[in-house]
Amino acid sequence: RRLVKQEMQQAGRVRRIFSFGMVVLAIHLAQKEVAAATLCKNPLLFQLNTRVIMDEMTKTKGTPATLDDFPDKELDKIAALGYDIVYFLGVWQTGEYGIKKSIKLLNLDASMKGYPKEAACSSPFAITDYSVNKDFGGDDALVRLRKRCHERGLKLLVDFVPNHMAVDHPWTKTKPELLIQGSENSLHREPQNFFKVDNIVFAHGKDMYYDGWEDTVQINYGNPKAREEMCKIINKIAGIADGIRCDMAMLLCEDVLEKTWGGRLAPFGQPRASGQFWPPAIQGAKKINPEFLFVAECYWDREYELQKFGFDFCYDKSLYDRLKSLDVFQVKAHLLADLNYQKKLVRFIENHDEERAADTWKDTRQNLAAATISFTVPGLHFLHDGQQEGRVRRISMHVNRRLRLDEDVKDKAIASKYSALVEALRSEAIRNGNWARCKTTPSMDGNLSHERFVAHCCWTDSHELVLVVVNFCSEGSNGHVILPNEMSWLRGSKQRLSCRLTSAKIEKDGGVLLGDQNGLWLSMEPWQAHVFNVEKV
């Protein structure tokens, strides 16, 4: 018996050494592979709705499609357009309860009306297992997709929903202690916020301002074991993808958890977890994959706090709201923020949660003006599939369908305009250069309309220069634009300004661009946008 015990102990040591070696090897391979896809300073992201794409490919193919069927030529196209990151929304396994909820919504949600029952699917934010949906080919298909992305210099981003799981997640039966629980009184008083599985009352996932999401169950971050389990999930994803878009990331801030759940966070019979969840979680994942991206969906002015926690990029909902309100002075004020803060923001005018940009800015000129501003300031530039085509109808997260392109686009000319903008974003000055605001001054007659210009420039150390000027206003504006003194190399030579969005070309002495003769004079139509390449003649 003693010999058998010694042999078992020796075998255990061998297994531990082997397991440790495999972990080290996995980390080494992840580091080696990721190194080939290092991001530029201001990356461009393209978001795809996985369920919609799978449904469309299935109909085209005639048999069920998986991630392996996503065409190489589409990845080639995405890479050729200059995108750095492709974000596949909704790859994880979801449950039956979510489908039942979605079926009920078919005739209630305006974005779902007209679709058949077969179009209903569970919300991608009600996850039953962080394994790739079996209908999409499982984890192995995602690994193969990631490899194909890397071959084209693309990073692969997926979802992480830290606040909650699906209401039918196995933990309600196998690990109920990891979830926020209530009492029969809680269920009686707040049936919209609590539900029952067997003899246990659980809380729906929620934030501190609104009622719970009925297809979710709240994770208990007061329980240290719950934190451990969520970190394991993040670490798993770090081995098969290049980053995560963290849904409602600010809900895990300690004070938010306390305000939302209070005493319910204390796990029965053990001390409550303390300290912020995100810093150690991020540090742990980056030990496995040093360039693993953390992108935070973030509201309530929590961006700076999450940046300090280690997030690479945080949603800039404030800029979106200011652009949506068409308030040029609020937009300009927003861009006065410190550059170290701005460069870690996600700039967007459309995503799966917001209305389509072509519907929000029904005037295509406004749409392009807002996009030009958003995509030429520092940060991650986020473009949602369909935005570049001018699609109008938002895709509900509860269906796997969208309208045919010819039914969904009102202004067919918008596609070529977005194509020109995306092409302009390939400039090295925009991708990796320095950025600064430009001064604007009135015309000789003292006209103050120049204040409605949003003007800035990007440049590299090798003197590649891009000047962006947008008249973010419903009226014509004119005035002078003066570039910063950092571009002193312009002086003494003639410069040609070629707009990437229009056919406009201007030739000026470099000193004029720096303020001689009052600067570069421009007269711009309402909502007009210029992205000038500035080159020596």
Side-chain angles (χ1 to χ4, degrees), residues 272-481:
R272 173 176 159 179
S274 61
Q276 299 289 352
F277 168 77
W278 285 119
I282 292 172
Q283 292 164 15
K286 287 185 180 281
K287 287 180 181 178
I288 295 172
N289 185 341
E291 294 195 31
F292 191 67
L293 280 176
F294 281 82
V295 178
E297 180 193 21
C298 177
Y299 308 109
W300 309 338
D301 297 322
R302 296 272 180 166
E303 298 88 352
Y304 184 70
E305 182 178 7
L306 291 179
Q307 288 180 10
K308 289 297 185 184
F309 289 166
F311 275 92
D312 298 288
F313 299 100
C314 300
Y315 271 35
D316 187 5
K317 182 67 159 55
S318 295
L319 179 59
Y320 170 83
D321 288 338
R322 287 166 167 81
L323 291 168
K324 185 176 179 180
S325 69
L326 305 178
D327 189 333
V328 64
F329 299 107
Q330 286 295 316
V331 170
K332 292 174 72 171
H334 186 73
L335 297 177
L336 292 173
D338 183 82
L339 277 180
N340 288 323
Y341 167 73
Q342 291 203 57
K343 69 183 182 182
K344 290 189 174 184
L345 294 175
V346 179
R347 316 293 194 163
F348 62 90
I349 64 167
E350 178 182 311
N351 60 52
H352 62 270
D353 286 318
E354 308 294 347
E355 297 300 322
R356 289 288 198 179
D359 189 36
T360 300
W361 293 272
K362 292 179 172 59
D363 184 331
T364 297
R365 298 174 303 169
Q366 295 176 354
N367 185 339
L368 266 294
T372 300
I373 293 170
S374 186
F375 293 158
T376 58
V377 295
L380 186 154
H381 304 140
F382 185 121
L383 198 142
H384 182 216
D385 185 24
Q387 176 183 346
Q388 81 284 8
E389 299 166 315
R391 285 183 176 270
V392 174
R393 187 174 184 181
R394 185 178 68 85
I395 301 173
S396 168
M397 292 295 97
H398 296 276
V399 294
N400 61 5
R401 306 283 169 87
R402 59 181 173 182
L403 296 178
R404 292 201 322 264
L405 186 62
D406 61 341
E407 298 175 324
D408 204 10
V409 175
K410 293 182 178 179
D411 182 359
K412 291 182 171 55
I414 199 171
S416 62
K417 298 179 187 300
Y418 259 92
S419 179
L421 176 59
V422 171
E423 176 66 25
L425 299 180
R426 298 181 65 181
S427 163
E428 186 66 13
I430 294 176
R431 289 171 54 79
N432 276 312
N434 305 295
W435 182 91
R437 295 177 299 277
C438 293
K439 182 179 179 181
T440 65
T441 60
S443 300
M444 296 296 290
D445 60 2
N447 185 337
L448 295 180
S449 62
H450 71 95
E451 295 180 352
R452 303 189 292 237
F453 286 170
V454 178
H456 47 262
C457 58
C458 312
W459 72 98
T460 66
D461 293 340
S462 59
H463 298 176
E464 182 175 341
L465 173 61
V466 172
L467 170 64
V468 179
V469 186
V470 179
N471 178 30
F472 202 64
C473 177
S474 60
E475 300 177 2
S477 302
N478 62 71
H480 294 96
V481 177

Side-chain angles (χ1 to χ4, degrees), residues 178-230:
L178 304 186
L179 308 170
I180 292 285
Q181 298 182 22
S183 63
E184 291 290 344
N185 285 337
S186 305
L187 183 60
H188 178 73
R189 291 194 312 268
E190 301 177 66
Q192 77 280 17
N193 288 326
F194 292 88
F195 66 101
K196 194 172 184 179
V197 175
D198 297 331
N199 294 319
I200 303 177
V201 175
F202 295 101
H204 287 302
K206 68 185 296 292
D207 65 31
M208 58 186 178
Y209 296 115
Y210 298 99
D211 287 335
W213 299 290
E214 68 168 283
D215 53 351
T216 69
V217 59
Q218 177 69 42
I219 298 167
N220 186 356
Y221 279 88
N223 189 329
K225 292 182 179 179
R227 296 189 178 207
E228 291 175 11
E229 290 294 327
M230 297 308 289

Side-chain angles (χ1 to χ4, degrees), residues 118-276:
E118 297 75 35
C121 60
S122 177
S123 163
F125 305 111
I127 295 169
T128 56
D129 182 24
Y130 276 93
S131 296
V132 173
N133 195 305
K134 59 182 183 296
D135 294 335
F136 302 160
D139 287 354
D140 289 345
L142 186 71
V143 171
R144 290 189 290 270
L145 175 62
R146 182 197 191 199
K147 183 176 184 295
R148 291 193 288 145
C149 287
H150 285 193
E151 289 169 352
R152 293 158 176 83
L154 296 167
K155 281 184 175 287
L156 175 63
L157 193 79
V158 293
D159 298 299
F160 178 61
V161 186
N163 186 64
H164 48 262
M165 297 291 194
V167 73
D168 46 353
H169 191 280
W171 284 357
T172 59
K173 295 180 180 293
T174 62
K175 298 180 179 179
E177 70 278 5
L178 304 186
L179 308 170
I180 292 285
Q181 298 182 22
S183 63
E184 291 290 344
N185 285 337
S186 305
L187 183 60
H188 178 73
R189 291 194 312 268
E190 301 177 66
Q192 77 280 17
N193 288 326
F194 292 88
F195 66 101
K196 194 172 184 179
V197 175
D198 297 331
N199 294 319
I200 303 177
V201 175
F202 295 101
H204 287 302
K206 68 185 296 292
D207 65 31
M208 58 186 178
Y209 296 115
Y210 298 99
D211 287 335
W213 299 290
E214 68 168 283
D215 53 351
T216 69
V217 59
Q218 177 69 42
I219 298 167
N220 186 356
Y221 279 88
N223 189 329
K225 292 182 179 179
R227 296 189 178 207
E228 291 175 11
E229 290 294 327
M230 297 308 289
C231 285
K232 287 179 183 177
I233 292 171
I234 294 174
N235 292 345
K236 174 199 170 177
I237 300 173
I240 60 177
D242 300 310
I244 47 179
R245 178 261 188 194
C246 299
D247 185 71
M248 302 286 280
M250 74 289 178
L251 294 184
L252 271 59
C253 293
E254 272 289 279
D255 63 311
V256 174
L257 288 169
E258 179 62 34
K259 290 175 184 175
T260 309
W261 300 109
R264 297 187 191 280
L265 291 166
F268 181 76
Q270 57 182 310
R272 173 176 159 179
S274 61
Q276 299 289 352

